[in-house]
Amino acid sequence: MNKDLSFPKKQIAFLLIVILVMIFARMLVDESAGNTIGVRALPRPIALEPVLITSAGQATDAYVVKDIANRLKLDNYFSPLATTGQLKNMESMILVVGYSQVGLAFNELSFDDELERVENILETAEEKKLTIISIYLRGDQLFGDENQKLLKLVSKRSNYVIMVNDSFDQEFAEVWMGDSQLTVVESLDELSEPIVSAFR
């Protein structure tokens, strides 16, 4: 006597729902703040070229982003110590957050000097209605006080935030504020996709 091994329709529907939930589990929406956490890439472009790429903290991370932008053939201008005057004729700005005591000392800057410079270019970018993108490559292993201050200053005023972090958690997410969308990728190899999605 043959047994019917087929699943009832209710069980099939339940399995499909479970699969869909698993697929979208990483896309969490914080409705109270209006933010989208964990978006892999933007569904449509939000930024125009040319874009100014600068550092916020004077780590070498900004050079990594510059190289990616060049590979993506984005029309970009790179200036780690960008001033407000360099925003002229720019449509967008990328701030690469990464504190480096060595980098600041090399440029004869204090951390307060760097905070003031970043604050000034943010204010000018907002006045010019540029799209502001902030990128943080360092993960939580280098998540010290200086990087926290820089992220709080930059990301809450950004249209889009991109982070590389292999152990992302809610505590880390609380650093950024505002209505920015946030993409978290696990490695530098995955950084090109969210960057290009902002422009094309």
Side-chain angles (χ1 to χ4, degrees), residues 53-59 61-62 79-82 94-100 104 111 114-115 117-119 121-122 133-136 138 146-147 149-151 153-155:
I53 301 173
T54 189
S55 175
Q58 297 309 308
D61 305 44
S79 177
L81 288 167
I94 294 176
L95 283 156
V96 186
V97 177
Y99 167 74
S100 170
L104 290 173
F111 183 62
E114 180 70 347
L115 285 175
R117 183 188 69 85
V118 173
E119 175 70 36
I121 59 175
L122 279 169
I133 300 168
S134 57
I135 301 177
Y136 181 67
R138 310 199 132 211
E146 292 84 1
N147 280 324
K149 288 180 181 178
L150 287 165
L151 274 170
L153 173 63
V154 171
S155 58

Side-chain angles (χ1 to χ4, degrees), residues 181-194:
Q181 293 191 85
L182 172 66
T183 288
V184 179
V185 297
E186 293 184 359
S187 69
L188 291 176
D189 294 337
E190 300 176 2
L191 197 57
S192 295
E193 182 181 352

Side-chain angles (χ1 to χ4, degrees), residues 56-129:
Q58 297 309 308
T60 56
D61 305 44
Y63 291 84
V64 174
V65 174
K66 177 203 71 168
D67 290 343
I68 292 173
N70 289 341
R71 289 201 302 270
L72 294 172
K73 301 188 183 307
L74 294 179
D75 182 5
N76 71 90
Y77 180 76
F78 179 65
S79 177
L81 288 167
T83 60
T84 56
Q86 290 172 303
L87 291 173
K88 185 178 180 181
N89 301 323
M90 294 292 120
E91 297 288 345
S92 308
M93 178 173 67
I94 294 176
L95 283 156
V96 186
V97 177
Y99 167 74
S100 170
Q101 185 176 2
V102 173
L104 290 173
F106 180 80
N107 291 295
E108 299 181 345
L109 293 171
S110 68
F111 183 62
D112 287 340
D113 292 335
E114 180 70 347
L115 285 175
E116 182 178 357
R117 183 188 69 85
V118 173
E119 175 70 36
N120 288 338
I121 59 175
L122 279 169
E123 286 183 359
T124 301
E126 289 173 331
E127 289 170 3
K128 293 179 174 292
K129 301 188 184 307

